Amino acid sequence: MRRLLAPALAALALLAPAVALAHPHIVVQQVVRMVAKDGQYTHVEIEWRFDPFSSEVEIPLIDEDKNGKVSAREAKLLADEMMPELGKDGYLSWINTGGKDFRPPKAPQFSVRIDDPASFVPPEWDRNAGDNAGMPMPANKRADAPGVPRKQGARNLVYVMRFALPQPSKLVSIVTYDPEDFIRIEVDKASVPAGCTLGKHPTHKAEFVRGYPIFADVVTCQLP
């Protein structure tokens, strides 16, 4: 599983200015949920739906018994491997409860599932765009060769991470992004919770190629 996310978490050398603008190699649809108690938010939960191509690279490695589901044992093995890796980079997320942005302070509650049929299918995009332009692409930014398509149709690997807030708050915002844009994380507009807004963060941005920023989605929620 480390092959899916670790390359995006590693420090990468700057690319030459002549390199053409490149697209991400992995696309994730993010769903944001807020958990409230006694009139204040206590947790923020994010759900990552990996694009079908990336999902098919990883599902066979996770679903050891090949039954199309993630067992409790398989989920624990994945969590034991991936949560420490994601934790090194703050789970690619920043939270704000009215002051400064901060990384999630503790490891989240984690669950994983397979959506079959897929709940998220992004528009077609060129996973290899920019990989051969100007200079050789670093190995950890190359897209794997496509595998054999599933005859049964598309499906998604889905992570769910629930973060506890340091203290209850009436205001919470969360922004999640990969600074290198190896993974493009975009919030599902249709799933934004009632009473919340979706916008672009003014400073947090992804840049696969320097000078071509993609400002990250930020969801902000406030209780009366």
Side-chain angles (χ1 to χ4, degrees), residues 30-32 44-48 93 159-161 163 174 176:
Q30 176 163 290
V31 175
V32 175
V44 56
E45 181 176 278
I46 58 176
E47 176 176 296
W48 290 356
S93 297
Y159 288 2
V160 180
M161 293 177 281
F163 301 99
I174 184 165
T176 306

Side-chain angles (χ1 to χ4, degrees), residues 60-169:
L61 304 178
I62 298 167
D63 182 19
E64 295 180 350
D65 57 11
K66 312 303 179 188
N67 69 347
K69 300 178 181 179
V70 182
S71 68
R73 175 181 175 277
E74 291 164 348
K76 184 179 185 304
L77 289 173
L78 178 61
D80 289 347
E81 180 177 14
M82 284 310 307
M83 287 301 99
E85 292 297 319
L86 279 172
K88 293 176 182 177
D89 280 76
Y91 308 96
L92 301 181
S93 297
W94 293 88
I95 298 173
N96 190 303
T97 55
K100 294 182 178 180
D101 290 352
F102 59 88
R103 294 292 198 180
K106 295 181 180 179
Q109 298 177 26
F110 174 75
S111 62
V112 58
R113 70 175 191 267
I114 298 169
D115 281 357
D116 186 5
S119 54
F120 166 59
V121 179
E124 292 293 329
W125 87 101
D126 184 358
R127 288 167 49 89
N128 297 287
D131 279 8
N132 298 311
M135 64 179 293
M137 181 62 58
N140 57 356
K141 277 203 171 183
R142 297 189 187 114
D144 292 334
V148 178
R150 288 182 77 240
K151 295 181 180 180
Q152 299 93 327
R155 55 183 180 171
N156 303 120
L157 176 65
V158 182
Y159 288 2
V160 180
M161 293 177 281
R162 177 175 289 196
F163 301 99
L165 299 178
Q167 59 187 25
S169 176

Side-chain angles (χ1 to χ4, degrees), residues 11 19 25 37-38 43 52 58 69 105 111 116 120 122 131-132 139 148 159 170 178 184 186 194-195 201 208 218 221:
V19 177
H25 291 326
K37 182 179 180 181
D38 299 328
H43 297 75
E58 297 304 322
K69 300 178 181 179
S111 62
D116 186 5
F120 166 59
D131 279 8
N132 298 311
V148 178
Y159 288 2
K170 288 184 175 292
D178 167 23
R184 178 75 56 82
E186 298 180 333
H201 198 279
F208 190 98
V218 57
C221 303

Side-chain angles (χ1 to χ4, degrees), residues 32-36 41 43-45 172-174 193 196 219-221:
V32 175
R33 303 183 185 94
M34 298 293 177
V35 180
Y41 295 117
H43 297 75
V44 56
E45 181 176 278
V172 179
S173 69
I174 184 165
C196 303
V219 174
T220 303
C221 303

